[in-house]
């Protein structure tokens, strides 16, 4: 009995080690080849010779005249913060109103919002372009922010709704007796209680905004001169995909910030994802 | 209190969907000076009539169905293996989840450098004296390579969902099954699997819909090639029909995709409802 469990345990550990290795190898290749010349990469893709390793290619990618990665970080970060701020500012009151009013019309409205989660947002980019053109925001950052906000509203609202619904109503009633209006109650009583779910939504929305490629590519377009990390990487790497001394360092610079954030916050990111999705 | 949310949501998500339906019945090149011309079902005849575009739909369906099956099998299998919380398993979970924080575009470029004709794997194969393998240069290989790359990058999310779901499996039922002498497989079938029903629904719908809109990986890994073998519907809309100013065709393709996502979601929800009703009638 004991022997079979220990064999099973060994097999399990060995199998997981093997899968983990498969997950990590591409990242290992990315990191070590960042510091090597094209000939070295082609000759020995799996090892790093400390004698010839150089920061030259990383520095070249950092100072690439076609794509300033620092500017890409800045624009993408601004995008992440704006989308989160607007999405939460419009979804918190909406979710609060929906959660506290048990009318059939409101139920219908909730369904109307949730249905948005099933729309593959990338494929409606073509008509979105015409809408943005009509309101004069095509090719601009505000246009992109508004579209990305719209795509995050269904999920944000749905998760907020689920969270507020389980907060006791007596809180609202007590506030009402003290003479607080709806907005006042939301701001002073409900929002502070929502801190954990706000953190979850912030993390998940940030990941999807940071990583989005189709929306900035279509809405900003090449003519606008504004690029995010993803569209910048596309411009910098797309046409030189066989020059590995450009590919690896640029990709490394693109993933470093998000990987660092992930490693520091992995527990919160992963538990947030679980909480956010299973609540439904 | 919900007017701002409704405004943004309707203007930039609902109206575009309506426009997609409208444009799908018109011929339109997108120039502001031209008025879309109503052509009925012509665009749908075009996309269902040309082998190129039906191939695209078949490829999208294969990516979505095979991808979702593989992603969920891998995620559920590994979730069962990593269920217990200890240091080793926590490390395993982090390692399997990390590709999700990379953008799909970067993942595609990275794997192109690994699997491409001059890539890392083929360099190593040549070194040991074996012929190189056409991971991305042969039409049959390329589709499977792409699906595996997507599975690699996607299953970590579903893994976390299943881990959360497994925590909700009632411990007393597992205990009862053990006392009744049920084996591992019996216990899984009779206790774990039914308790996971809602998790499976969420995981299948979310992975299916994200696979249906596969675009970024196509752009960076294969560019739709070779010979259109990895051209998905989303890629066809954004990288082919739209640049060719075929707004009507692009919109008809978008409508097909929206309907496919709706059918997928409704089917899974109905199946789940039925499974729940069955479970209730038994219990």
């Amino acid at each position: 009995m004991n022997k079979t469990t220990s064999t099973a345990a060994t097999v399990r550990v060995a199998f997981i080690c093997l899968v983990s290795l498969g997950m990590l190898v591409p990242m290992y290749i990315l990191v070590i080849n960042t510091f090597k010349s094209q000939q070295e990469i082609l000759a020995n893709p799996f090892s790093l010779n400390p004698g010839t390793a150089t920061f030259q290619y990383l520095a070249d990618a950092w100072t690439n005249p076609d794509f300033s990665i620092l500017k890409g970080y800045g624009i993408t970060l601004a995008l992440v913060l704006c989308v989160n701020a607007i999405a939460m500012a419009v979804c918190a009151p909406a979710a609060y109103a929906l959660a506290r009013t048990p009318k059939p019309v409101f139920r219908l409205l909730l369904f109307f919002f949730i249905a948005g989660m099933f729309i593959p947002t990338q494929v409606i980019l073509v008509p979105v372009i015409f809408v943005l053109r009509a309101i004069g925001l095509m090719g601009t950052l505000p246009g992109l922010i508004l579209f990305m906000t719209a795509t995050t509203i269904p999920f944000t609202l749905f998760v907020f709704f689920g969270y507020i619904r389980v907060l006791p109503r007596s809180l609202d009633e007590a506030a009402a007796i003290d003479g607080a209006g709806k907005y006042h109650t939301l701001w002073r009583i409900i929002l502070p209680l929502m801190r954990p779910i706000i953190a979850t939504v912030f993390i998940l929305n940030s990941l999807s905004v940071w990583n989005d490629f189709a929306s900035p590519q279509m809405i900003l377009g090449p003519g606008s001169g504004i690029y995010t990390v993803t569209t910048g990487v596309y411009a910098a790497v797309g046409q030189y995909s066989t020059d590995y001394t450009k590919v690896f360092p640029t990709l490394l610079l693109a993933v470093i910030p998000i990987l660092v954030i992930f490693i520091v916050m992995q527990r919160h990111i992963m538990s947030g994802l679980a909480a956010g999705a299973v609540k439904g | 209190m919900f007017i701002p949310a409704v405004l943004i949501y309707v203007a930039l998500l609902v109206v575009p969907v309506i426009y997609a339906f409208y444009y799908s019945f018109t011929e339109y090149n997108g120039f502001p000076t031209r008025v879309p011309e109503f052509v009925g079902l012509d665009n749908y005849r075009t996309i269902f009539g040309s082998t190129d575009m039906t191939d695209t739909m078949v490829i999208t369906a294969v990516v979505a169905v095979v991808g979702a099956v593989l992603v969920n099998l891998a995620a559920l299998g590994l979730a069962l293996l990593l269920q217990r919380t200890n240091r080793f398993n926590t490390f395993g979970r982090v390692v399997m989840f990390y590709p999700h924080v990379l953008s799909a575009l970067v993942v595609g470029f990275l794997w192109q450098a690994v699997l491409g004709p001059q890539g890392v794997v083929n360099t190593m194969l040549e070194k040991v004296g074996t012929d190189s393998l056409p991971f991305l240069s042969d039409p049959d290989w390329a589709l499977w390579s792409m699906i595996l790359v997507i599975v690699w990058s996607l299953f970590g999310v579903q893994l976390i969902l299943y881990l959360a779901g497994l925590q909700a499996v009632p411990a007393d039922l597992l205990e009862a099954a053990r006392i009744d002498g049920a084996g591992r497989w019996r216990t899984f079938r009779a206790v774990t699997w039914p308790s996971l029903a809602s998790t499976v629904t969420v995981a299948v719908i979310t992975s299916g819909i994200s696979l249906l809109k596969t675009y970024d990986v196509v752009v960076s890994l294969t560019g739709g090639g070779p010979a259109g073998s990895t051209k998905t519907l989303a890629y066809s809309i954004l990288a082919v029909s739209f640049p060719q100013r075929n707004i009507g065709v692009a919109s008809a393709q978008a409508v097909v995709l929206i309907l496919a996502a709706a059918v997928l979601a409704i089917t899974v929800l109905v199946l789940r409802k039925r499974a729940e009703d069955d479970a209730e009638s038994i219990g």
Side-chain angles (χ1 to χ4, degrees), chain B residues 147-165:
Chain B
I147 291 176
L148 288 179
V149 168
I150 297 173
V151 171
W152 178 87
S153 67
L154 216 60
F155 85 88
V157 184
Q158 266 64 33
L159 169 72
I160 302 301
L161 297 188
Y162 283 119
L163 282 170

Side-chain angles (χ1 to χ4, degrees), chain A residues 143-154:
Chain A
L144 180 60
I145 290 169
L146 279 183
F147 173 63
M148 284 180 152
T149 306
T151 62
T152 53
I153 282 179

Side-chain angles (χ1 to χ4, degrees), chain A residues 12-140:
Chain A
R12 189 185 74 92
V13 169
F15 179 72
I16 289 168
C17 287
L18 208 68
V19 177
S20 301
L21 213 63
M23 299 305 290
L24 287 173
V25 161
M27 195 44 67
Y28 168 76
I29 290 171
L30 172 60
V31 174
I32 63 158
N33 287 322
T34 294
F35 305 100
K36 287 153 58 173
S37 69
Q38 180 85 353
Q39 295 93 310
E40 273 183 287
I41 297 171
L42 291 179
N44 266 320
F46 265 103
S47 57
L48 181 67
N49 177 355
T52 55
T54 165
F55 278 92
Q56 185 56 46
Y57 302 107
L58 199 62
D60 287 349
W62 180 263
T63 54
N64 182 344
D66 301 327
F67 165 49
S68 153
I69 183 91
L70 195 62
K71 193 179 154 197
Y73 290 155
I75 290 174
T76 314
L77 190 65
L79 212 58
V80 165
L81 295 178
C82 290
V83 170
N84 267 305
I86 303 177
M88 288 182 189
V90 302
C91 285
Y96 178 59
L98 290 173
R100 288 297 190 245
T101 328
K103 282 186 198 149
V105 188
F106 282 57
R107 231 6 54 127
L108 216 62
L109 195 61
L110 181 70
F111 260 129
F112 173 65
F113 275 119
I114 294 175
M117 280 204 268
F118 300 120
I119 296 171
T121 47
Q122 297 181 331
V123 309
I124 57 160
L125 273 165
V126 172
V128 165
I129 290 169
F130 294 109
V131 173
L132 287 174
R133 200 179 278 165
I135 54 178
L137 290 176
M138 180 59 196
T140 68

Side-chain angles (χ1 to χ4, degrees), chain A residues 197-275:
Chain A
I197 200 72
I198 288 176
T200 297
V201 167
F202 179 83
I203 289 169
L204 296 180
N205 284 349
S206 302
L207 277 180
S208 65
V209 171
W210 182 281
N211 286 332
D212 195 356
F213 167 65
S215 324
Q217 187 206 19
M218 302 304 285
I219 292 176
L220 294 177
S224 69
I226 314 169
Y227 46 81
T228 64
V229 171
T230 50
T231 56
V233 164
Y234 177 66
V237 169
Q239 47 189 325
Y240 307 109
S241 61
T242 50
D243 183 354
Y244 292 137
T245 61
K246 281 198 164 70
V247 173
F248 287 120
T250 310
L251 292 182
L252 186 63
L253 288 176
V255 302
I256 279 178
I258 198 89
L259 272 184
V260 170
I261 291 172
F262 173 62
I263 290 166
V264 175
M265 309 240 322
Q266 39 94 4
R267 195 168 305 163
H268 303 280
I269 291 176
M270 288 167 45
S271 63
L273 178 75

